[in-house]
Amino acid sequence: MTDMQTASHPATDVQGVILDWAGTVVDFGSFAPTSIFVEAFARAFDFEVTLEEARQPMGLGKWDHIATLGRLPSVDSRWQARFGHPMSRDEVDHLYHTFMPLQIAAVTRFAAPIPGVLPVLASLREQGLRIGSCSGYPRPVMETLVPAAAEQGYRPDHWVATDDLKAGGRPGPWMALANVIALGIGAVHRCIKVDDAVPGISEGLNAGMWTVGLSVSGNEFGATWEEFAVMGQEEVAARRAPAEAKLRAAGAHYVIDTLADIAPVIADINRRLALGERP
């Protein structure tokens, strides 16, 4: 019998959670990547994209994010009016190489854990769960973010960057499955993928995992912690509703406000697993 099959953590229970980074564990509102996309476009081509446009492809690897952003109808029409052609691969490369040093420099400013998350993760570890993680950030960004987050108390058991695997990143299952292998988890249906963006939900579904969307702490809600803290209930509800709808439409099994609210979800998944249910 393994340590994951003790009386306190029977073989039917969840063994691990695979967590996104920005908007899920750190960086309430997922501002580190979105604001830097806006800056990169301005620096590379003196071209304006809005924060709302920059948020739309969130969750993809950052090169793919830039390419997808360039294909948004609103961006593409302005780009073609300005440059006379759709955004080219060379232009995406130039934007990406402009983006990378800006992102590396900025990411430590957004490494603070989302309020309430660290005690919940400590509780999950006490229950025997393993904490995996993956990100749309490439490895050079993660190599800066991971130690910065560790200084503030967040240390997952494993992490995977979007460019670590030849197969690629989201919405494919590979980063999530790499965590399963590294953490020695016995079955994918005993894992939960938690993310604030649609590609991350698709990643978990493609990996055969339970999926939990976050409707307030991340990209879809799009507010800082300070903004959220002073919002009235009506505004919170108005911003939460479309975020929740988008995550549920992507197939999320559960949608909660922030990762700090996940304990009842895990209890319900354990109940469903004990009944023989699968994602």
Side-chain angles (χ1 to χ4, degrees):
M1 179 177 290
T2 69
D3 62 333
M4 287 288 104
Q5 295 174 331
T6 63
S8 62
H9 196 84
T12 55
D13 279 0
V14 171
Q15 281 193 345
V17 292
I18 314 300
L19 308 174
D20 177 47
W21 280 73
T24 297
V25 180
V26 301
D27 186 9
F28 192 101
S30 196
F31 279 90
T34 50
S35 61
I36 300 304
F37 283 124
V38 173
E39 184 175 354
F41 271 78
R43 288 201 182 196
F45 291 104
D46 190 25
F47 185 87
E48 182 179 355
V49 296
T50 68
L51 195 60
E52 291 71 23
E53 289 169 332
R55 287 188 179 280
Q56 290 187 44
M58 189 56 64
L60 297 174
K62 300 314 173 194
W63 193 97
D64 291 331
H65 186 128
I66 292 168
T68 303
L69 180 54
R71 291 193 297 268
L72 292 179
S74 61
V75 175
D76 177 61
S77 63
R78 299 198 308 274
W79 189 274
Q80 293 205 47
R82 170 85 175 275
F83 299 110
H85 61 265
M87 188 182 295
S88 69
R89 186 178 185 89
D90 286 345
E91 288 166 333
V92 175
D93 284 340
H94 181 54
L95 282 160
Y96 181 77
H97 292 307
T98 303
F99 164 85
M100 280 292 290
L102 296 173
Q103 185 68 91
I104 292 169
V107 75
T108 57
R109 303 199 305 268
F110 298 89
I114 288 167
V117 162
L118 293 185
V120 168
L121 294 182
S123 175
L124 297 185
R125 279 202 168 103
E126 289 173 0
Q127 298 170 46
L129 275 73
R130 299 167 190 182
I131 311 298
S133 68
C134 53
S135 177
Y137 284 136
R139 177 159 282 270
V141 177
M142 291 299 291
E143 288 176 342
T144 299
L145 175 57
V146 169
E151 288 180 0
Q152 301 196 55
Y154 177 51
R155 300 175 181 85
D157 299 320
H158 188 66
W159 60 270
V160 181
T162 194
D163 57 349
D164 280 349
L165 305 173
K166 289 183 179 180
R170 299 167 181 154
W174 305 289
M175 290 195 295
L177 294 177
N179 274 277
V180 171
I181 294 168
L183 298 174
I185 295 172
V188 291
H189 66 261
R190 296 176 66 186
C191 291
I192 303 172
K193 177 68 204 326
V194 186
D195 209 293
D196 65 298
V198 166
I201 298 300
S202 298
E203 172 189 28
L205 294 172
N206 288 332
M209 299 177 178
W210 301 93
T211 58
V212 177
L214 304 178
S215 61
V216 170
S217 66
N219 179 66
E220 299 300 335
F221 195 89
T224 66
W225 170 256
E226 292 76 16
E227 290 168 341
F228 169 65
V230 297
M231 276 184 193
Q233 292 185 359
E234 290 186 3
E235 183 179 358
V236 170
R239 296 179 72 146
R240 180 196 287 120
E244 179 173 355
K246 189 171 183 178
L247 293 163
R248 289 197 183 279
H253 296 99
Y254 299 84
V255 178
I256 55 179
D257 283 358
T258 80
L259 181 58
D261 305 314
I262 201 169
V265 170
I266 293 176
D268 192 59
I269 292 174
N270 283 339
R271 176 190 63 80
R272 296 173 69 176
L273 288 171
L275 294 173
E277 291 190 45
R278 297 294 182 264

